[in-house]
Amino acid sequence: MAKYHRIAVKIGSNVITRADGTLDVTRMSAIVDEVASLHKQGVEVIIISSGAVASGRSELKHLVEHSLDPLSSRQLFSAVGQAKLINRYYELFRDHGIACGQVLTTKENFATRAHYLNQKHCMEVMLDNGVIPIVNENDTVSVTELMFTDNDELSGLLASMMGTQALIILSNIDGVYDGNPSDPGSKVMLDILAEEHIDSSSFIQKGKSSLGRGGMGTKYRISQKVADEGIAVIIANGKRDHIVEQIVAGDRSVPYTVFHPSSRATSSVKKWIAHSEGFAKGRITVNRQAFEVLISDKAISLLPVGITAVEGEFEKDDIVQIVSPDGVAFAAGRIACSSDRARALIGAQGGRPLIHYDYLYIDRTRL
Ligand code: GLU
């Protein structure tokens, strides 16, 4: 029945924790039942689950009366909460005779191509052996500047890396609304096409979810980007019973937002670069002419003559962001030389590309 053979399901803190932060085991159990049923039908599922920090916070409420700084409390809460979270999942999947395994990761684990492929290998081995990966950011070691914006960003990276056909983002609202979700006149946008680059600022509410770090703003941007790479992205309400099965079956009788995938083929190395936002080592600004040709549909490499500034320290093969004359980081690529050499080459005529087209990713959601 299933049109997907591999999917990623991201479960937000608000879905599986109650208002006081304790784990909502009934909800977790309902989602695990759905995943187990898909697994038995041969669909490979990767779970990205938040909820560690919220659950740890509720557990330690009586202990942590003195105020801790935000980093210390996140490290402490996630250490305790992650143990609780994975334990619950482990027990719930065991009732179905299915093994799950914990993958805790950080941005650094994707920063080089070798690290990235190593993470991918780990999860491929799990899936090959019928084990369901349950991924979360390792909040105990990831400090602020090396943190993923939220698990939405991490789930986009993983869906892309693992070549899933769909990414299902479960939150506590029905999808993307065309206005303020609490306004009775607002409706869920059911279908968003990959080519449709709508300006979302008019209808996406700023602000974050009450428990997790993400908000609809990041969800929307990540969804567009992942759909642009050819993966269907669905934003749905994880509090609804049977929602995952309904999505996989294509049942549209309940509301949820589908970002339809583009038919654009993205190479494996470009997928890595596409999700490098947080671990790029430097920034290169280009002139207007270079910007225009890079965003055209032609296969163009970045040449020294097109660059006007180089920021940061990097080595050959590091990832750098490419910035438009207006200051928008609209692309990223693997650089062919060090930052010192790139600085020496600013504006030079001729010479080899600084970033070859094969290693250049244009983020169309930024244009
Ligand atoms: N990793 C965090 C947790 O498990 C959640 C991050 C997010 O809100 O996306 O609590």
Side-chain angles (χ1 to χ4, degrees):
M1 65 154 244
K3 55 183 169 174
Y4 303 127
H5 63 260
R6 180 177 286 185
I7 62 172
V9 180
K10 187 256 165 175
I11 307 170
S13 303
N14 280 320
V15 176
I16 50 163
T17 54
R18 298 195 186 85
D20 63 357
T22 54
L23 289 176
D24 181 347
V25 182
T26 316
R27 183 59 14 214
M28 284 177 80
S29 167
I31 297 175
V32 165
D33 290 350
E34 292 196 79
V35 171
S37 141
L38 289 171
H39 179 87
K40 286 180 180 156
Q41 292 165 51
V43 182
E44 291 175 332
V45 185
I46 297 154
I47 293 179
I48 301 92
S49 181
S50 303
V53 175
S55 148
R57 185 183 294 120
S58 74
E59 190 73 10
L60 294 178
K61 236 184 342 222
H62 59 293
L63 284 179
V64 192
E65 277 155 2
H66 58 289
S67 63
L68 283 172
D69 64 86
L71 176 64
S72 309
S73 53
R74 199 168 59 89
Q75 290 180 320
L76 178 64
F77 296 155
S78 62
V80 173
Q82 182 63 29
K84 283 195 73 177
L85 186 68
I86 201 70
N87 248 304
R88 282 294 186 193
Y89 277 119
Y90 190 86
E91 298 295 335
L92 291 168
F93 275 114
R94 198 171 56 179
D95 289 345
H96 292 277
I98 298 171
C100 66
Q102 169 174 263
V103 179
L104 292 180
T105 193
T106 64
K107 245 181 192 171
E108 281 169 309
N109 293 337
F110 302 94
T112 70
R113 183 86 181 130
H115 277 97
Y116 177 89
L117 293 174
N118 184 38
Q119 273 286 287
K120 178 168 159 60
H121 175 76
C122 156
M123 289 170 59
E124 291 288 356
V125 171
M126 292 173 87
L127 292 173
D128 283 353
N129 289 283
V131 174
I132 298 190
I134 301 184
V135 190
N136 196 0
E137 180 163 11
N138 191 349
D139 292 304
T140 63
V141 296
S142 60
V143 290
T144 323
E145 63 273 24
L146 290 172
M147 236 157 75
F148 282 103
T149 316
D150 46 51
N151 270 357
D152 300 320
E153 186 188 2
L154 173 62
S155 68
L157 186 157
L158 292 175
S160 160
M161 177 174 95
M162 298 305 290
T164 66
Q165 285 88 50
L167 164 63
I168 300 175
I169 299 180
L170 298 179
S171 166
N172 61 349
I173 57 170
D174 282 337
V176 182
Y177 281 81
D178 59 3
N180 189 333
S182 53
D183 177 348
S186 306
K187 293 186 305 299
V188 172
M189 300 168 72
L190 299 180
D191 297 283
I192 297 175
L193 303 178
E195 294 72 27
E196 221 177 351
H197 285 296
I198 352 176
D199 175 15
S200 58
S201 57
S202 60
F203 55 87
I204 299 277
Q205 308 303 305
K206 294 211 173 51
K208 302 185 302 181
S209 85
S210 54
L211 290 170
R213 292 204 297 274
M216 195 45 89
T218 14
K219 281 188 183 53
Y220 189 87
R221 205 176 64 73
I222 302 285
S223 303
Q224 269 204 320
K225 185 163 163 173
V226 173
D228 217 33
E229 288 172 49
I231 299 168
V233 184
I234 295 94
I235 298 185
N237 192 340
K239 296 270 190 198
R240 283 182 182 271
D241 287 335
H242 309 296
I243 188 76
V244 177
E245 283 165 328
Q246 281 166 328
I247 291 167
V248 171
D251 175 355
R252 303 304 309 259
S253 64
V254 282
Y256 52 83
T257 303
V258 179
F259 290 76
H260 292 271
S262 85
S263 50
R264 195 190 304 276
T266 309
S267 72
S268 140
V269 72
K270 284 200 188 199
K271 284 183 182 166
W272 167 53
I273 297 168
H275 295 272
S276 67
E277 208 169 326
F279 46 81
K281 293 277 164 48
R283 285 157 69 91
I284 293 189
T285 306
V286 298
N287 62 27
R288 181 76 48 200
Q289 204 184 351
F291 172 68
E292 296 297 341
V293 291
L294 288 172
I295 63 169
S296 71
D297 276 335
K298 301 194 198 93
I300 303 281
S301 301
L302 177 63
L303 297 171
V305 69
I307 71 169
T308 57
V310 174
E311 291 166 64
E313 299 304 316
F314 47 83
E315 298 301 322
K316 176 180 182 296
D317 290 340
D318 278 344
I319 302 287
V320 296
Q321 286 188 311
I322 305 172
V323 182
S324 74
D326 308 315
V328 178
F330 70 99
R334 181 150 87 171
I335 187 94
C337 65
S338 69
S339 44
D340 287 346
R341 179 99 187 105
R343 274 191 195 98
L345 286 171
I346 291 175
Q349 295 286 337
R352 303 244 301 268
L354 291 178
I355 300 176
H356 187 274
Y357 172 75
D358 287 347
Y359 301 116
L360 187 65
Y361 167 79
I362 309 292
D363 185 348
R364 300 204 173 267
T365 66
R366 298 279 190 191
L367 299 178

